[in-house]
């Protein structure tokens, strides 16, 4: 029981340490992921004094603006999905379609439309939807409760997709402030995949099935490496083993989630590093036990 309490206290300490690192170093990076300084600072449709810009992210897509727009306007659970981690969405009760082709009925988006978060909202953990507030055909639209989606033409065969996320500037309660703080890094994981998914879908073209295998292995690596770090904390003894080593491991774990490209190479690699750390701990324990046994034999 004492070891469990010790492990919980160490996890809390390391979490607070990582939050400090997140505030100072990681948050500025993930809130401007892929976007240039010009894109971050430029005015966009949907900007409002009553709203705070929480992030401006972007990606380059090797397709014409008109082609990217066809896929962008299909955004929505009852349209073409969100091009993100659908297995996470489904696990949380958000039922979505996944289109490999452009559906004629969703070739346009207009003010007053509702971009739904789930086909069956009764199953969703937190039901949500996004009303369409503003549309500039083949260039931009604004979704309430989310933000602005903008296409900027680089040349005839390359387009920049920019997403600016916004929220209410004033929070009426401490809970809403905490929820907003937690939401930013979690939303980044999904929105980064949306941008990458939009790029992959637009560049692949119609009727090509894209596999989720890589995404599943990436996520499995993240979960397993996090579990292994907690196991190391539980098994460790002393300040160096219990605090210093897990702090370093957790720092690299955080980097594998928010800084590195979301591919299995990094997350599974993190799991292997955590496994090696645990094996080293077990080996050291065995050597210590053998040495102690040898010393007892000599003493007798």
């Amino acid at each position: 029981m004492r070891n469990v309490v010790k492990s919980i206290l160490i996890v809390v300490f390391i979490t607070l340490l990582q939050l400090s690192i997140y505030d100072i170093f990681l948050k500025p990076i993930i809130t401007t992921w892929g976007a240039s300084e010009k894109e971050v600072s430029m005015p966009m449709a949907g900007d409002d004094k009553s709203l705070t810009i929480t992030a401006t992210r972007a990606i380059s897509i090797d397709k014409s603006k008109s082609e990217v727009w066809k896929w962008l306007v299909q955004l929505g659970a009852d349209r073409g999905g969100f091009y993100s981690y659908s297995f996470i969405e489904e696990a949380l009760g958000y039922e979505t379609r996944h289109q490999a082709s452009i559906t004629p009925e969703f070739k346009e988006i207009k003010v007053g439309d509702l971009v739904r978060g789930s086909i069956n909202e009764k199953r969703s953990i937190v039901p949500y939807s996004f009303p369409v507030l503003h549309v500039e055909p083949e260039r931009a639209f604004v979704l309430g409760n989310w933000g602005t989606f903008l296409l900027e033409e680089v040349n005839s065969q390359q387009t920049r997709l920019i997403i600016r996320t916004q929220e209410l500037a004033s929070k009426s309660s401490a809970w809403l402030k905490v929820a907003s703080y937690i939401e930013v890094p979690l939303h980044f994981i999904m929105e980064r995949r949306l941008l990458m998914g939009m790029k992959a879908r637009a560049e692949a073209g119609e009727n090509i099935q894209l596999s989720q295998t890589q995404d599943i292995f990436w996520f499995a690596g993240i979960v397993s490496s996090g579990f292994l770090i907690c196991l190391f904390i539980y098994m460790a003894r002393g300040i160096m083993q219990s605090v210093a080593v897990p702090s370093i491991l957790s720092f690299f774990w955080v980097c594998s989630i928010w800084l590195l490209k979301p591919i299995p190479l990094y997350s599974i690699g993190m799991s292997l590093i955590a496994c090696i750390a645990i094996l080293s701990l077990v080996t050291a324990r065995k050597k210590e036990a053998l040495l102690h046994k040898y010393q007892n034999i000599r003493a007798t």
Side-chain angles (χ1 to χ4, degrees), residues 162-183:
I162 307 164
I163 303 179
R164 175 166 292 172
T165 305
Q166 301 156 326
E167 64 179 14
L168 290 174
S170 59
K171 299 294 181 181
S172 58
S173 68
W175 162 246
L176 288 176
K177 291 179 181 178
V178 172
S180 175
Y181 183 83
I182 295 172
E183 182 185 7

Side-chain angles (χ1 to χ4, degrees), residues 242-259:
S242 300
V243 180
V245 175
S247 294
I248 295 170
L249 289 174
S250 62
F251 172 75
F252 286 113
W253 182 72
V254 166
C255 289
S256 72
I257 299 173
W258 283 287
L259 292 186

Side-chain angles (χ1 to χ4, degrees), residues 110 131 136 146 173 199 213 222 260:
K110 59 184 183 297
E136 295 178 44
W146 192 334
S173 68
K199 174 181 172 69
T213 303
I222 292 298
L260 299 179

Side-chain angles (χ1 to χ4, degrees), residues 67-228:
E67 286 298 313
V68 177
W69 177 260
K70 292 176 184 178
W71 289 103
L72 187 59
V73 294
Q74 294 211 131
L75 198 71
D78 58 339
R79 290 173 170 247
F82 288 96
Y83 311 109
S84 191
Y85 297 112
S86 58
F87 60 93
I88 296 178
E89 294 168 347
E90 290 166 3
L92 296 175
Y94 299 105
E95 184 181 343
T96 61
R97 290 179 183 172
H98 307 289
Q99 299 289 98
S101 59
I102 296 170
T103 306
E105 62 181 303
F106 300 131
K107 279 190 174 181
E108 63 177 23
I109 191 170
K110 59 184 183 297
V111 174
D113 285 350
L114 194 65
V115 175
R116 298 173 61 185
S118 177
I119 295 174
N120 184 3
E121 293 186 345
K122 292 181 179 179
R123 294 181 60 243
S124 304
I125 291 181
V126 180
Y128 63 84
S129 57
F130 310 103
V132 180
L133 305 179
H134 173 83
V135 177
E136 295 178 44
E138 294 200 4
R139 186 169 190 270
F141 58 78
V142 179
L143 301 182
N145 305 321
W146 192 334
T148 305
F149 292 70
L150 173 68
L151 297 181
E152 286 284 342
E153 184 176 83
V154 178
N155 55 54
S156 61
Q157 287 302 314
Q158 190 176 61
T159 305
R160 292 283 287 172
L161 168 57
I162 307 164
I163 303 179
R164 175 166 292 172
T165 305
Q166 301 156 326
E167 64 179 14
L168 290 174
S170 59
K171 299 294 181 181
S172 58
S173 68
W175 162 246
L176 288 176
K177 291 179 181 178
V178 172
S180 175
Y181 183 83
I182 295 172
E183 182 185 7
V184 170
L186 297 180
H187 182 70
F188 165 69
I189 293 174
M190 302 302 287
E191 189 168 274
R192 174 181 61 181
R193 189 65 186 90
L194 184 158
L195 286 163
M196 295 173 67
M198 179 67 70
K199 174 181 172 69
R201 172 46 61 205
E203 291 180 353
E206 293 193 64
N207 302 317
I208 296 177
Q209 295 296 328
L210 301 179
S211 174
Q212 294 188 70
T213 303
Q214 182 169 276
D215 290 340
I216 293 171
F217 274 108
W218 173 79
F219 186 74
I222 292 298
V223 173
S224 62
S225 55
F227 170 79
L228 289 169

